[in-house]
Amino acid sequence: GWMNELNGLNVLEMQLKEKLQLKDVVIVSGNSDEDAWVKKEMGKAAFHFLQKIVKPDDILAVTGGTTMFAVAEAMKPFPFDGNILFVPARGGIGEQVENQANTIVATMAKRTNGAYRMLFVPDLLSEASYKSIIQEPAIDEILGQIKSASIVLHGVGDAIRMAHRRNAASDVIDQLHEKEAVGEAFGYYFDSKGNIVHKIRTVGLQLKDLNEKKYVVTVAGGKSKARAIASYYKLGKSDVLITDEAAAKVILRDN
Ligand code: G3H
């Protein structure tokens, strides 16, 4: 019956919270690899959780991806008059427009009556261009807002799948295979032990910026992402995981 199912998820949440040492875990039923509505439910759960932690005048830094898009789609105005600002967590990392953080922050702002800023930085920058672009006053200003974000909302991806989706060069893909990359978040690729094996050079939040002053909300699910999620927790900061039942079960079993 539904009571048993609810209790079952509660037990999984407690086990995962303990295992990953988190403040909170929210698990929705199902497997988002198989059913699109499960990703939508994760989006709703993420927005529900966000309503508990967001304060007027917060800056939220957000990554790209289809899961973040589902979070954006679940948003409605927050129950206070405040000035929430949505900013992309990082500059271009090769995603198509619909999956880009710039697009997602615009949707989030529109749905919550908040504000947003975009960050336009080309994907593949030489060291010299990188150094000069971060000195542009307009870029410098938004980078300051990104770094001062109090809440970070992000996805996690399977390493090889993400590299292909972003049209990574074949030598990068070979390198990811060779180094046994399993997970990806914020444009960092890592192996199952949590070693960074590849990183996309762009401006914005770096993993080291995810300090104790930032409340980090991780939203990722699907059985196929379990390894990736587990690997992120070996290196990255996170306060809460919003996931689905299929991913949760595999993380608890195999990792
Ligand atoms: O960095 C992680 C990816 O953006 C996750 O993408 O939500 O489409 O699986 P996804």
Side-chain angles (χ1 to χ4, degrees), residues 16 24 30 45 62 67 71 83 86 93 99 109 120 122 143 146 179 190 197 222 227 229-230 241:
L16 205 51
D24 252 305
V62 184
T67 312
V71 178
N83 232 338
F86 295 90
I93 50 175
N99 287 330
F120 290 109
L143 287 177
I146 292 169
K179 295 188 172 163
F190 30 85
V197 296
R227 265 190 336 172
I229 297 167
L241 172 64

Side-chain angles (χ1 to χ4, degrees), residues 39 63-68 93 95 99 155-157 161-162 165-166 184-187 219 225:
K39 199 175 276 185
T63 70
T66 59
T67 312
M68 284 301 118
I93 50 175
E95 292 274 18
N99 287 330
V156 176
R161 206 195 301 157
M162 290 312 298
R165 189 166 98 188
R166 292 169 177 159
E184 184 281 335
F186 298 99
V219 193
K225 269 195 200 177

Side-chain angles (χ1 to χ4, degrees), residues 3 31 33 50 62 64 73 115 133-134 136 149 161-162 164 169 188 231 233 236 240:
M3 272 306 284
N31 178 4
D33 287 339
L50 217 48
V62 184
E73 291 280 286
I133 209 164
I134 58 177
E136 285 292 327
R161 206 195 301 157
M162 290 312 298
H164 283 291
Y188 289 75
S231 67
Y233 281 95
V240 53

Side-chain angles (χ1 to χ4, degrees), residues 25-246:
V25 168
V26 181
I27 302 175
V28 304
S29 62
N31 178 4
S32 53
D33 287 339
E34 281 164 13
D35 297 300
W37 59 264
V38 178
K39 199 175 276 185
K40 287 191 182 157
E41 289 302 312
M42 279 198 292
K44 285 186 207 162
F47 179 58
H48 185 75
F49 188 86
L50 217 48
Q51 283 175 298
K52 297 197 256 182
I53 60 167
V54 171
K55 297 181 297 305
D57 303 322
D58 270 346
I59 298 179
L60 272 74
V62 184
T63 70
T66 59
T67 312
M68 284 301 118
F69 179 77
V71 178
E73 291 280 286
M75 287 188 170
K76 293 189 199 82
F78 289 104
F80 50 71
D81 279 333
N83 232 338
I84 306 296
L85 175 65
F86 295 90
V87 294
R90 298 195 80 197
I93 50 175
E95 292 274 18
Q96 295 182 328
V97 172
E98 62 271 28
N99 287 330
Q100 281 174 17
N102 275 335
T103 313
I104 288 165
V105 295
T107 305
M108 288 181 171
K110 191 174 170 197
R111 297 195 68 108
T112 58
N113 303 325
Y116 68 97
R117 302 289 299 275
M118 289 198 184
L119 176 61
F120 290 109
V121 178
D123 287 341
L124 289 169
L125 282 183
S126 68
E127 185 79 36
S129 314
Y130 175 89
K131 283 191 171 140
S132 82
I133 209 164
I134 58 177
Q135 282 166 25
E136 285 292 327
I139 300 282
D140 183 61
E141 189 193 351
I142 177 164
L143 287 177
Q145 290 169 320
I146 292 169
K147 301 263 166 163
S148 69
S150 49
I151 297 175
V152 179
L153 259 177
H154 79 102
V156 176
D158 171 81
I160 304 295
R161 206 195 301 157
M162 290 312 298
H164 283 291
R165 189 166 98 188
R166 292 169 177 159
N167 293 315
S170 63
D171 61 309
V172 170
I173 295 188
D174 290 347
Q175 208 191 99
L176 292 173
H177 278 295
E178 196 180 309
K179 295 188 172 163
E180 300 179 334
V182 298
E184 184 281 335
F186 298 99
Y188 289 75
Y189 290 81
F190 30 85
D191 66 17
S192 62
K193 298 199 177 77
N195 300 305
I196 294 165
V197 296
H198 179 68
K199 174 186 181 227
I200 296 168
R201 181 171 58 208
T202 185
V203 295
L205 283 186
Q206 311 296 316
L207 277 185
K208 65 170 167 43
D209 297 323
L210 302 176
N211 55 34
E212 62 291 339
K213 280 192 243 158
K214 300 198 189 307
Y215 200 106
V216 181
V217 180
T218 306
V219 193
K223 194 175 180 184
S224 67
K225 269 195 200 177
R227 265 190 336 172
I229 297 167
S231 67
Y232 176 72
Y233 281 95
K234 298 251 159 71
L235 84 152
K237 192 216 172 203
S238 174
D239 295 283
V240 53
L241 172 64
I242 320 278
T243 189
D244 64 19
E245 195 182 350

